[in-house]
């Protein structure tokens, strides 16, 4: 186990082999140690999907992003939530994806969703695509993560361009 994994108890511990550091210089080619491909069963909302893995259906939450709510039972639909969900569905319908966790993040979130980066069949990082196009915002939850600087830069570009939820014609960056 590498030093980072050893320093993060409960994250990629003895039951899961530690991940190698991620080369974040190329956002169009998945790392060599991705898992998959796995078929997408369905999209729950803009940042959550369900995959068919050998162990069964697995709920996956995208690391480093947050999309406006569109299906939370205890919250109203937020501005651009349905659009974010539709875009994720458009990108993933009928597709298979590869994925990879991040040793700086918990393996599961508070809702028992697996936390992953997800690569589209064409090699693009889905997390980055959604932020770049203005369907998601960069969100750091527990700790910095491998693609944080790329997602922050993508969000700034989307804001500057008034893309998606940053447009004055939609939400102007305010989704709640």
């Amino acid at each position: 186990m590498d030093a980072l994994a050893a320093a993060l108890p409960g994250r990629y511990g003895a039951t899961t082999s530690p991940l190698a550091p991620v080369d974040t210089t190329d956002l169009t080619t998945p790392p060599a140690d991705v898992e998959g491909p796995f078929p997408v069963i369905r999209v729950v909302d803009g940042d959550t999907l369900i995959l068919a893995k050998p162990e069964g259906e697995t709920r996956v939450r995208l690391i480093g992003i947050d999309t406006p709510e569109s299906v939370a039972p205890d919250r109203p639909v937020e501005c651009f939530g349905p659009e974010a969900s539709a875009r994720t569905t458009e990108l993933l319908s009928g597709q298979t994806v590869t994925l990879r966790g991040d040793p700086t993040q918990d393996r599961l979130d508070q809702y028992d969703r697996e936390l992953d980066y997800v690569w589209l069949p064409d090699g693009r990082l889905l997390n980055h695509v959604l932020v770049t196009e203005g369907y998601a915002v960069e969100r750091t939850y527990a700790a910095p993560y491998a693609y944080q600087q790329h997602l922050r830069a993508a969000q700034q570009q989307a804001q500057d361009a008034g893309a998606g939820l940053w447009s004055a014609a939609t939400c102007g960056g305010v989704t709640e």
Side-chain angles (χ1 to χ4, degrees):
M1 184 179 306
D2 67 14
L4 179 59
L8 301 168
R11 300 176 185 171
Y12 296 95
T15 59
T16 305
S17 59
L19 296 169
V22 176
D23 173 7
T24 61
T25 59
D26 182 0
L27 296 180
T28 61
T29 306
D33 62 348
V34 292
E35 296 178 69
F38 302 113
V40 175
I41 294 174
R42 74 180 177 92
V43 170
V44 175
D45 64 10
D47 53 30
T48 305
L49 52 136
I50 300 174
L51 302 178
K53 292 178 77 174
E55 60 272 19
E57 289 187 7
T58 302
R59 292 176 83 84
V60 171
R61 174 67 161 77
L62 301 174
I63 294 174
I65 74 166
D66 190 31
T67 60
E69 292 301 328
S70 63
V71 297
D74 59 340
R75 295 176 60 186
V77 172
E78 294 175 337
C79 184
F80 223 63
E83 292 84 351
S85 183
R87 179 61 175 146
T88 302
T89 300
E90 178 185 349
L91 289 166
L92 296 178
S93 288
Q95 300 295 323
T96 59
V97 296
T98 55
L99 47 97
R100 184 182 195 278
D102 189 315
T104 67
Q105 306 298 302
D106 287 326
R107 191 66 189 128
L108 300 174
D109 72 2
Q110 64 187 12
Y111 304 108
D112 290 324
R113 297 175 295 189
E114 189 173 294
L115 296 171
D116 286 304
Y117 300 110
V118 173
W119 281 269
L120 299 166
D122 65 8
R124 293 180 298 157
L125 179 60
L126 175 63
N127 314 49
H128 187 256
V129 170
L130 293 172
V131 174
T132 299
E133 294 180 356
Y135 291 98
V137 297
E138 184 279 331
R139 182 81 69 221
T140 302
Y141 289 95
Y145 54 91
Y147 294 99
Q148 184 182 52
Q149 295 309 313
H150 290 287
L151 295 183
R152 286 182 174 175
Q155 178 173 308
Q156 188 61 56
Q157 288 177 319
Q159 283 178 283
D160 292 348
L165 64 87
W166 300 107
S167 170
T170 59
C171 313
V174 179
T175 58
E176 297 179 10

